Amino acid sequence: MTAITVRPGRLRDAAEEIERSTGLRVQIIGGTLVMSPTPRGKHAGTVQVLRDQLIPALPGSHRVYEVSSICMPDDEDDYATPDMIVLPKDWGTDDEWLADPRDVALALEVISSSERASGIASKTEWYAIAGVTTLLTADPRNGTWTLHTRPRDGVYQGVLHGKYGEPVPLTGAPLPSELRTDELPLYSPRH
């Protein structure tokens, strides 16, 4: 194990260096560096299925983006990079690299096969604290999804659970009324 010493206020520099040198995806969630390997095909497939539904259903004012990060208000060293994000189309011509959480119509997190419950809870809390209005988590380990809405005081007030095959009812403009989940892939059972 390699120890990395990070001077206070330099977490973003450390995260960028780790990404450059290892290829791992790095986020800073609540002041902690969180690293994850390149997603598996079924992880990417989950994003693809949902993106393909969103693109034709969004109004001209919004687009689907990947590899875009959201800042924590008032903390430039704290950010998350969801698997997919719906933002105003102007984001595609912005020089900034951190999106304002108030501009996020939907953030998608696909649960990795090795992700722990504590990590999932920390990410969900981060999005609520940041004020992301709608967070969808898809879990290919067990074929479930959770829709989080209405963040207040660091907690999502609306939490709806469902299984693959059941549509995800979305919160309205600019999003479509629902997303189908019947084509979402499942991870193979671990032996």
Side-chain angles (χ1 to χ4, degrees):
M1 177 188 278
T2 303
I4 300 172
T5 303
V6 180
R7 291 190 332 259
R10 306 299 298 205
L11 276 176
R12 188 189 308 179
D13 294 338
E16 290 172 2
E17 181 59 32
I18 291 167
E19 283 186 348
R20 267 193 302 279
S21 63
T22 67
L24 293 174
R25 185 173 88 167
V26 182
Q27 303 174 83
I28 303 173
I29 304 291
T32 301
L33 291 169
V34 178
M35 294 164 272
S36 56
T38 302
R40 299 169 187 255
K42 289 179 181 177
H43 187 122
T46 300
V47 174
Q48 180 74 44
V49 167
L50 296 172
R51 181 181 58 224
D52 287 351
Q53 291 179 60
L54 282 167
I55 288 173
L58 289 173
S61 61
H62 284 75
R63 299 281 186 272
V64 174
Y65 295 96
E66 294 179 50
V67 196
S68 291
S69 300
I70 304 166
C71 70
M72 174 62 76
D74 304 322
D75 188 349
E76 66 182 35
D77 272 342
D78 210 345
Y79 67 92
T81 307
D83 292 298
M84 184 180 72
I85 184 171
V86 175
L87 289 164
K89 76 174 188 176
D90 294 347
W91 176 248
T93 58
D94 200 314
D95 285 328
E96 294 297 320
W97 77 279
L98 291 173
D100 187 319
R102 294 170 295 199
D103 293 337
V104 177
L106 173 70
L108 169 68
E109 284 284 353
V110 179
I111 307 302
S112 299
S113 60
S114 61
E115 205 157 355
R116 294 187 174 139
S118 61
I120 296 165
S122 292
K123 277 189 189 179
T124 301
E125 180 184 32
W126 188 97
Y127 285 106
I129 291 168
V132 172
T133 58
T134 306
L135 170 66
L136 174 61
T137 57
D139 193 342
R141 298 174 306 179
N142 56 22
T144 61
W145 53 261
T146 304
L147 182 67
H148 305 271
T149 58
R150 301 186 330 273
R152 187 175 67 229
D153 300 326
V155 177
Y156 280 108
Q157 304 304 303
V159 179
L160 180 64
H161 301 283
K163 295 182 179 186
Y164 285 12
E166 299 171 350
V168 179
L170 295 177
T171 56
L175 302 173
S177 61
E178 67 180 28
L179 290 173
R180 293 181 327 280
T181 62
D182 52 318
E183 293 181 14
L184 296 180
L186 293 168
Y187 294 141
S188 298
R190 296 178 89 176
H191 299 287

